[in-house]
Amino acid sequence: MLHIENLHVKIGEREVLKGIDLHINPGETFILFGPNGSGKTSLLMTLMGLGDYAVTKGRIIFKGTDITYAPTYERARLGVGMSFQRPPTIHGLPVRHLVRMCGREREVPVERLARRVNFDQFLERDVNAGFSGGEIKRSELLQLMAQQPSLVLFDEPESGVDLENMALIGREVRSLLQGEDTPRPDKSLEELKRARATSGLIITHTGYILDYINADRGQVLYNGHLCCEARPRDILEHIRKFGYQECVRCLDNALA
Amino acid sequence: MKPISLDNFEFTGHEAAKLGDLHALDAHDREQLLMSGVDVEEQGRSGSFLHMDHSGAYCKTNRPGVEILNIKDALKKYDGLPEYFWKLVDPEKDEATRKARDVLHGGYFIRAEKGAKIEEPVQSCLFIKANKAGQSVHNIVIVEEGAELHIITGCAVSHQTQESAHVGISEFYVKKGGKLTFTMIHNWGENVAVVPRSAGYVEEGGQFLNNYVLLRPVKYLQMYPTITLGGTGAVARFNSVVVAPKGSYLDMGNRVIMNAPDTRCEIIARTIASGGTIINRGHIKAGQVPAKGHLECKGLILGGGVIHAIPELEATVEGVELSHEAAVGKIARREIEYLMARGLDEDEATSTIVRGFLNVDIMGLPDKLKQVIDKTIAESQKDMF
């Protein structure tokens, strides 16, 4: 699904990603850990082609297409979807209208999708105007549900969200990545897993989202380098106990 | 830019024939009317009025409770309308008012009877067909006690390239508890000079809601309608959506005088200069308390031009609450990128943001008119990027 090869990225003169290699398979969810300023958001922004992130080396291959320098909308139309952590307010654009546009030519069942994320009362509101943390997440999820991406980039699904909303958001992120949660007696678990083609790349600080989704793999991003690939829960537990100090040591060894 | 001289235009000799039916207009003129909010089918309209060049061409009332007359007929019927005619606008004010005093071609008289709730809008159009024509009209709108009325009035020229001038006096009277929604759509041409002079008076508990849309080029427009909130609890709200392409010079604004307690007003203007010049004025004056007013001029320059915002607040008594917000900005890159991340290309994203900025939706206009406005906005965007 996604192949990142030796990716180097600069903002201005500062190198923020220093040779990232990452492969995410179809249907796989990858969790990205790392302290503040380690380059996690930069990676997501670069994958979406946003902001002033300049790729200086390496490439990004998505579904076999080199999208390293593709404009953002081409990436989106190919199937990359992103949940923004701090999306801008767009005055005069009602949520309903934007959600409909997310479907491109496809007809979007706006009301039905909105009800799932408890957002049907917000459809006439201007996009992100005065939204709380939880409302932003639900609005972003709603747009992604309409967009039906095959790779979801999620920047901190739990930030600014209260516990009640966390359950709802967790459930819907899961459904976005893994399809509906209904048992299919005719298929084995393995078959079901193979059938779902939506991949995820999720940044998390707290790990709350791991209570809701089946994350396959995880890695720590530290100072622009990826290190310490392991099962996400193990990484989380480790970081809880020891902080990111262990990563520094590990990284030093790797780079030595 | 120098004010225009009205002497360059012909204020006599262009009397139009009466129309039995709005369908009698040719397809081109019908299209122009449609852009100004006038539906020749008269579907969902309580009445229609059409003034062409130097005379009234069509006048029809479809509902009881609303009276629509040519102003000349109204002056005859009501003995010169002594309580209303030239009561809010001073005929000696300037060249335009003096011209309107000396030459009266027509105009509408629209009155909603006491307590009448006229749900469907009355449509009106002041149309200029002849080249070099100077048009001078005087309009009077009266909303009697407890009545409700929506007027959609368009101003248009038959050919966008022709030279002409329009002088229009409008006087609005909203009586106790009445509500007037007045939507004006200007559809002039690149060689047309327009100098409306408008004023209104709102009594106790009355509401005056004004929508103004100008998307097409106009050579020179100068207007500063003034509404006086004269009764307790009176409300005025102005929403303006204005685009000035190359060659347009607009000097415009709204003024509200809050002369009674418990009054509220809001003046909101969204302006885009795409090569033209916009002087966007606004003035709220409050001399009674409590009084609450807000003035907002937001502008974008897209593809050149000038925006000069002049918001003024004038309070003469302790305790009033007046505020203003003026901004001239640009489309934020972040907003474009956000929409591009949803699959919109750069042009789609930009026009979505511009449409949102202009935000015509808040005016609550009939669907067909909204569609025409959306289409015109889309067309006008080719000058912007």
Side-chain angles (χ1 to χ4, degrees), chain B residues 14 17 40 59 65 79 87 92 110 142 156 158 181 196 227 230-231 242 245 266 274 295 319 353-354 362 365 373:
Chain B
H14 295 290
V40 296
C59 180
D79 303 321
K87 285 298 158 200
E92 287 300 337
I110 303 174
I142 302 167
S158 178
T181 305
I227 296 296
V242 171
E266 195 174 60
S274 56
L295 174 54
I353 292 164
V354 167
I362 55 167
L365 304 178
I373 290 175

Side-chain angles (χ1 to χ4, degrees), chain B residues 24-25 324:
Chain B
L25 294 162
H324 81 71

Side-chain angles (χ1 to χ4, degrees), chain A:
Chain A
M1 181 68 73
L2 179 71
H3 289 263
I4 303 173
E5 295 170 9
N6 190 31
L7 189 68
H8 290 256
V9 172
K10 272 186 174 177
I11 301 179
E13 286 306 300
R14 196 165 58 91
E15 188 162 57
V16 288
L17 297 176
K18 304 166 183 171
I20 301 292
D21 288 286
L22 178 64
H23 305 282
I24 299 178
N25 294 316
E28 194 171 56
T29 297
F30 194 95
I31 306 290
L32 202 55
F33 296 92
N36 292 327
S38 61
K40 301 186 302 297
T41 298
S42 299
L43 178 59
L44 258 55
M45 299 285 273
T46 305
L47 291 176
M48 201 70 239
L50 302 170
D52 301 318
Y53 297 88
V55 176
T56 52
K57 214 196 267 180
R59 18 180 236 162
I60 306 165
I61 311 290
F62 178 67
K63 289 188 193 164
T65 305
D66 187 333
I67 59 163
T68 317
Y69 302 102
T72 299
Y73 67 89
E74 273 181 30
R75 303 174 198 225
R77 290 179 192 181
L78 272 174
V80 186
M82 175 161 163
S83 165
F84 286 65
Q85 204 190 354
R86 290 184 198 86
T89 298
I90 301 189
H91 294 286
L93 177 63
V95 172
R96 178 192 299 281
H97 191 168
L98 178 56
V99 172
R100 215 179 280 140
M101 287 194 292
C102 287
R104 303 296 301 166
E105 300 84 30
R106 242 180 316 105
E107 189 75 26
V108 177
V110 182
E111 302 277 345
R112 186 168 63 77
L113 296 182
R115 277 196 296 275
R116 285 185 47 171
V117 283
N118 194 14
F119 215 60
D120 40 329
Q121 301 302 315
F122 290 78
L123 290 174
E124 312 311 327
R125 291 263 295 268
D126 288 355
V127 175
N128 300 322
F131 287 6
S132 71
E135 286 157 4
I136 285 175
K137 296 299 177 210
R138 285 183 280 147
S139 158
E140 291 293 297
L141 260 175
L142 176 58
Q143 292 171 49
L144 288 174
M145 286 155 78
Q147 215 179 332
Q148 296 186 357
S150 35
L151 170 66
V152 180
L153 309 175
F154 222 124
D155 199 345
E156 294 193 41
E158 62 275 83
S159 73
V161 178
D162 59 44
L163 280 176
E164 196 184 334
N165 270 305
M166 193 58 232
L168 186 147
I169 286 162
R171 190 182 72 221
E172 290 305 324
V173 171
R174 178 193 174 97
S175 127
L176 194 63
L177 293 169
Q178 307 180 353
E180 302 290 336
D181 228 359
T182 44
R184 296 279 300 272
D186 55 323
K187 293 223 166 66
S188 72
L189 263 180
E190 197 52 39
E191 279 172 325
L192 278 177
K193 188 176 167 180
R194 251 183 280 122
R196 66 171 154 98
T198 307
S199 310
L201 176 55
I202 299 178
I203 295 178
T204 178
H205 269 294
T206 62
Y208 294 148
I209 191 71
L210 298 179
D211 294 342
Y212 302 94
I213 58 172
N214 259 325
D216 305 88
R217 296 158 55 216
Q219 217 166 0
V220 175
L221 184 64
Y222 195 87
N223 196 21
H225 297 276
L226 275 173
C227 59
C228 312
E229 169 149 8
R231 284 183 12 219
R233 287 201 166 278
D234 295 343
I235 298 178
L236 186 66
E237 201 171 317
H238 196 92
I239 296 168
R240 276 185 186 149
K241 270 191 204 148
F242 307 110
Y244 286 104
Q245 287 314 305
E246 192 76 359
C247 301
V248 182
R249 197 172 53 80
C250 173
L251 202 60
D252 284 346
N253 289 341
L255 293 175

